[in-house]
Amino acid sequence: MTLFRPLFLSALLIAGPVAAAQANGTADMQACKAMAATLTPKQAEIAEMTAKRDEAASAVETTGEAWEDTEIHRRASAGHAAQADTAKAAYDEAKKLLARHELALQASVRQYNDDVAAFNSRCAKK
């Protein structure tokens, strides 16, 4: 009986951390699967945001050229000046929209890169 008690206590002391390590391994594996599942939708979202940003950049080019064309004739008459003002307002709005899309895209890419780094540090085999 005296030998049984120390053996039992040492078995508990060894089994406790082993069980905790196995539980942590399962939790880590589940976390890695969850993280991996979120990466693909984020890539698709970034691709969509890139397309929107590219469309906004094209709109800036188009409205900028239209404004430059009307600005040349600004001093010809009050009608031309009004057209130039309207074209300038459209150009400014297009630039604001482009800036919003660009900032949103940069924030999403930054977050995606952080997520990939976290995934690699936690889940990648060394």
Side-chain angles (χ1 to χ4, degrees):
M1 197 61 132
T2 33
L3 186 60
F4 182 69
R5 185 175 291 165
L7 286 174
F8 181 70
L9 288 175
S10 62
L12 282 177
L13 289 174
I14 292 172
V18 169
Q22 287 177 342
N24 284 341
T26 302
D28 281 345
M29 186 172 65
Q30 290 173 347
C32 289
K33 286 181 181 178
M35 290 168 68
T38 63
L39 293 178
T40 302
K42 286 182 182 179
Q43 282 180 326
E45 179 184 352
I46 288 172
E48 182 180 323
M49 293 176 83
T50 301
K52 285 183 181 180
R53 190 264 329 254
D54 292 345
E55 288 175 21
S58 177
V60 167
E61 288 291 324
T62 303
T63 57
E65 289 172 1
W67 170 65
E68 288 174 351
D69 290 344
T70 58
E71 185 66 24
I72 293 170
H73 303 290
R74 172 181 287 282
R75 296 182 191 255
S77 70
H80 285 96
Q83 285 179 342
D85 290 341
T86 303
K88 174 68 171 162
Y91 177 54
D92 288 341
E93 284 301 313
K95 288 193 304 187
K96 288 177 189 176
L97 182 63
L98 174 61
R100 283 194 297 267
H101 285 302
E102 183 66 32
L103 290 175
L105 177 61
Q106 287 178 11
S108 293
V109 168
R110 190 177 315 114
Q111 181 62 47
Y112 177 76
N113 287 339
D114 291 345
D115 292 347
V116 169
F119 177 82
N120 287 340
S121 68
R122 186 172 187 176
C123 304
K125 302 278 186 213
K126 294 179 180 166

